[in-house]
Amino acid sequence: GEAALLAGENGTLELWDVKLGERTREFDVKPVRGRPAHITAATFSPDGRHAATVGLDNLLRIWRLDRSTASAAITPSAALAG
């Protein structure tokens, strides 16, 4: 089916089934070092099994869409360090 990710200012991230008009999963976006995530952009992987988000906390989060937690959180400095 077709899916959409919706992010709220309160740190929520939701996966929706667009055709059914139903929320299928809510993700736990935890603050890091006391800074709220406030997700500003999201995209799906080509296979539709993962999503990536970035927020005002400058973290790139990778999500497995079959779970409710991030499988990785990467800071820009860690990404540049290789």
Side-chain angles (χ1 to χ4, degrees):
E2 294 185 27
L5 285 169
L6 300 176
E9 288 184 10
N10 61 353
T12 60
L13 179 66
E14 300 174 344
L15 180 66
W16 283 75
D17 183 310
V18 176
K19 288 186 179 181
L20 296 177
E22 295 178 353
R23 182 179 67 188
T24 58
R25 185 167 301 278
E26 186 171 333
F27 297 90
D28 186 14
V29 185
K30 295 181 180 170
V32 175
R33 294 182 295 276
R35 298 175 64 191
H38 294 286
I39 293 171
T40 57
T43 188
F44 290 100
S45 65
D47 64 8
R49 294 177 30 195
H50 296 85
T53 60
V54 67
L56 296 178
D57 60 0
N58 291 324
L59 285 179
L60 169 67
R61 288 178 173 85
I62 307 298
W63 304 89
R64 279 188 49 179
L65 296 179
D66 61 348
R67 298 188 180 173
S68 295
T69 57
S71 58
I74 304 165
T75 62
S77 58
L80 294 174

